[in-house]
Amino acid sequence: MNLLDGMNQCVDGENTGIWRYRDLLPQVSEQNQITMGEGNTPLVKSQKIARDLGVPELFFKLESTNPTGSYKDRIAAMGVSWALEHGKPACIGTSSGNAGASIAAYAARAGLTYHLLTIEHIVESKLTQIKAFGANIVRIKGFGESKRIGDRVFDFIQTHAAKKNWEVMITAFKYNPVAMEAVKTIAYEIYRGLGNALPDAVFVPVGGGGLFIGIWRGFTDIRTLRIETKAPQVVAVQSEGCANIVNAWIRKYDAPLNGDSTSQVSGLQVPNPPDGVEVLKVLNGGHGWGETIPDSVTWKWQERLALDEGILCEPAAAISVAGVERAVREGRLNPNSRVVCIITGAGYKDSDRLREMVASRRATDACDIDKLVI
Ligand SMILES: *Cc1c(COP(=O)(O)O)cnc(C)c1O
């Protein structure tokens, strides 16, 4: 199947979600293709930030506009459809929140049970969203901080799922390569969005590394079909407090380091990144590099995206733009590059952080319309 044929199936206005690329995805019969129109997200050109950073061709891929507010909806659509196709009665997986909301929503739609093992300190607004879809939720002590406990949770899920014939819905290639194929559609859409051209660099927020690998493989598909020959650089942006992949890359290691997480950025607290070895292969192969960002800088870029561009995203998404700023400042990114930032999740996902961001801004007390002066 030619990639362009697959792409040309995209009919404007047809709400088929990731299944517009059905010929490029693992095969699922039509009646089991669960969708809520995920994907087909806007690729928006930066205005003020592009000028301020001196990177005129800076684009934002707004994955925040997906049905439950993050790109994890693409993975959930693929994985839940696959589970349905193969007669699995339930899904079980981990999440710090976004994958949980996506899988809970798509499982609800498909009529499957979903068991979620989540981190101890899950953000309240993400937990609330997952509860709305009726998932079975268990919080695990130390999960999201301790690497050892993370490893044990992944082992537990694999053993348990094998025993019960449940689908393992961990959003990493290591655990569910079928569901993760859907991430490649982000790369296909960027290619289309740039007028059938590849960008020079893509900045990807990295927790477990699955998003990074999916995007890299999507671009590789395009190049394999010789549509374009020059590969984009793929830049892994991690939180300084949870940077086991980038810190390994700096030391030229081929496996992630073993540190625990001290990051407060929800979504990126993955001290045991399942796809870390694969990310390091790409980086060590010269196809990109790593950036680490302190949480306070990530918060600042979240605020700037809202004030300067009208884009309200969660901190884990804003870190990609922080990565661009750092890469330009330190001479790693040529400012004339055509650059895409993956804006992975929506602002409402972490409402505690949002309240802190606007804490100094005030609405007036209720006033009388007849006396209003502005
Ligand atoms: C899951 C997620 C990420 C990180 O993806 P990984 O595949 O774990 O590296 C980044 N941002 C948001 C908003 C996410 O939900």
Side-chain angles (χ1 to χ4, degrees):
M1 183 71 202
N2 186 297
L3 179 61
L4 276 179
D5 291 345
M7 289 179 166
N8 287 339
Q9 285 186 355
C10 165
V11 178
D12 284 344
E14 191 192 346
N15 214 15
T16 52
I18 58 162
W19 303 108
R20 60 167 50 84
Y21 297 111
R22 61 179 74 87
D23 293 320
L24 303 165
L25 293 172
Q27 291 304 296
V28 171
S29 54
E30 206 172 327
Q31 77 270 15
N32 289 332
Q33 292 172 4
I34 306 293
T35 185
M36 288 191 271
E38 63 290 330
N40 201 21
T41 56
L43 185 67
V44 174
K45 196 159 190 209
S46 171
Q47 302 294 321
K48 188 164 188 310
I49 292 175
R51 275 199 304 278
D52 291 353
L53 296 184
V55 181
E57 289 217 76
L58 175 62
F59 294 85
F60 305 121
K61 180 70 171 156
L62 298 188
E63 290 298 297
S64 45
T65 65
N66 273 296
T68 77
S70 85
Y71 78 92
K72 300 285 197 321
D73 286 343
R74 298 176 190 260
I75 306 169
M78 183 68 238
V80 168
S81 301
W82 186 263
L84 205 57
E85 180 89 355
H86 294 269
K88 304 280 173 89
C91 304
I92 182 168
T94 56
S95 169
S96 61
N98 287 344
S102 296
I103 298 159
Y106 283 79
R109 195 168 176 80
L112 297 184
T113 304
Y114 174 41
H115 303 276
L116 167 66
L117 277 62
T118 190
I119 60 173
E120 181 170 359
H121 299 291
I122 181 173
V123 167
E124 195 60 40
S125 43
K126 291 190 179 182
L127 187 60
T128 303
Q129 189 188 18
I130 300 166
K131 284 178 181 169
F133 299 119
N136 299 326
I137 309 165
V138 188
R139 286 168 52 216
I140 307 286
K141 235 182 234 162
F143 187 30
E145 285 137 60
S146 155
K147 177 182 181 294
R148 184 184 62 85
I149 289 172
D151 289 339
R152 289 201 51 194
V153 168
F154 288 155
D155 286 347
F156 175 92
I157 288 177
Q158 278 191 301
T159 313
H160 211 70
K163 240 187 271 169
K164 303 218 164 181
N165 191 32
W166 291 353
E167 182 76 6
V168 174
M169 282 299 290
I170 298 173
T171 57
F173 281 89
K174 181 173 174 187
Y175 295 109
N176 194 331
V178 166
M180 293 301 286
E181 283 287 296
V183 176
K184 291 157 66 172
T185 59
I186 298 175
Y188 305 158
E189 289 176 14
I190 290 171
Y191 178 78
R192 286 179 63 96
L194 294 175
N196 292 345
L198 291 172
D200 298 307
V202 180
F203 282 69
V204 185
V206 168
L211 172 65
F212 180 99
I213 291 299
I215 288 174
W216 165 251
R217 291 190 183 168
F219 287 130
T220 305
D221 280 356
I222 295 171
R223 292 176 59 239
T224 304
L225 291 154
R226 297 184 195 287
I227 297 169
E228 296 282 337
T229 49
K230 193 171 166 290
Q233 293 279 295
V234 194
V235 185
V237 191
Q238 289 204 284
S239 188
E240 201 174 80
C242 190
N244 283 341
I245 298 176
V246 174
N247 287 334
W249 169 75
I250 289 168
R251 292 164 177 78
K252 300 193 162 53
Y253 292 172
D254 54 12
L257 303 188
N258 289 317
D260 288 343
S261 169
T262 56
S263 170
Q264 298 300 309
V265 177
S266 166
L268 302 184
Q269 300 151 313
V270 191
N272 54 337
D275 292 329
V277 169
E278 294 301 314
V279 174
L280 285 166
K281 271 186 207 156
V282 176
L283 299 183
N284 290 328
H287 302 296
W289 69 87
E291 300 285 352
T292 63
I293 307 292
D295 289 355
S296 58
V297 175
T298 301
W299 312 144
K300 190 194 84 180
W301 281 98
Q302 182 192 19
E303 185 167 17
R304 279 204 60 178
L305 274 160
L307 292 175
D308 293 348
E309 302 275 355
I311 293 170
L312 186 52
C313 65
E314 66 179 294
I319 202 171
S320 60
V321 188
V324 172
E325 192 272 338
R326 211 184 142 101
V328 171
R329 183 158 42 84
E330 303 205 344
R332 284 186 286 270
L333 178 71
N334 178 343
N336 294 318
S337 308
R338 186 184 260 185
V339 180
V340 177
C341 289
I342 312 294
I343 305 298
T344 45
Y348 65 77
K349 286 287 194 169
D350 185 346
S351 55
D352 289 347
R353 171 56 211 148
L354 217 47
R355 259 191 297 276
E356 277 170 40
M357 187 173 102
V358 301
S360 66
R361 296 176 211 155
R362 292 271 171 270
T364 69
D365 294 336
C367 67
D368 191 335
I369 188 67
D370 296 324
K371 294 179 191 147
L372 180 62
V373 186
I374 286 185

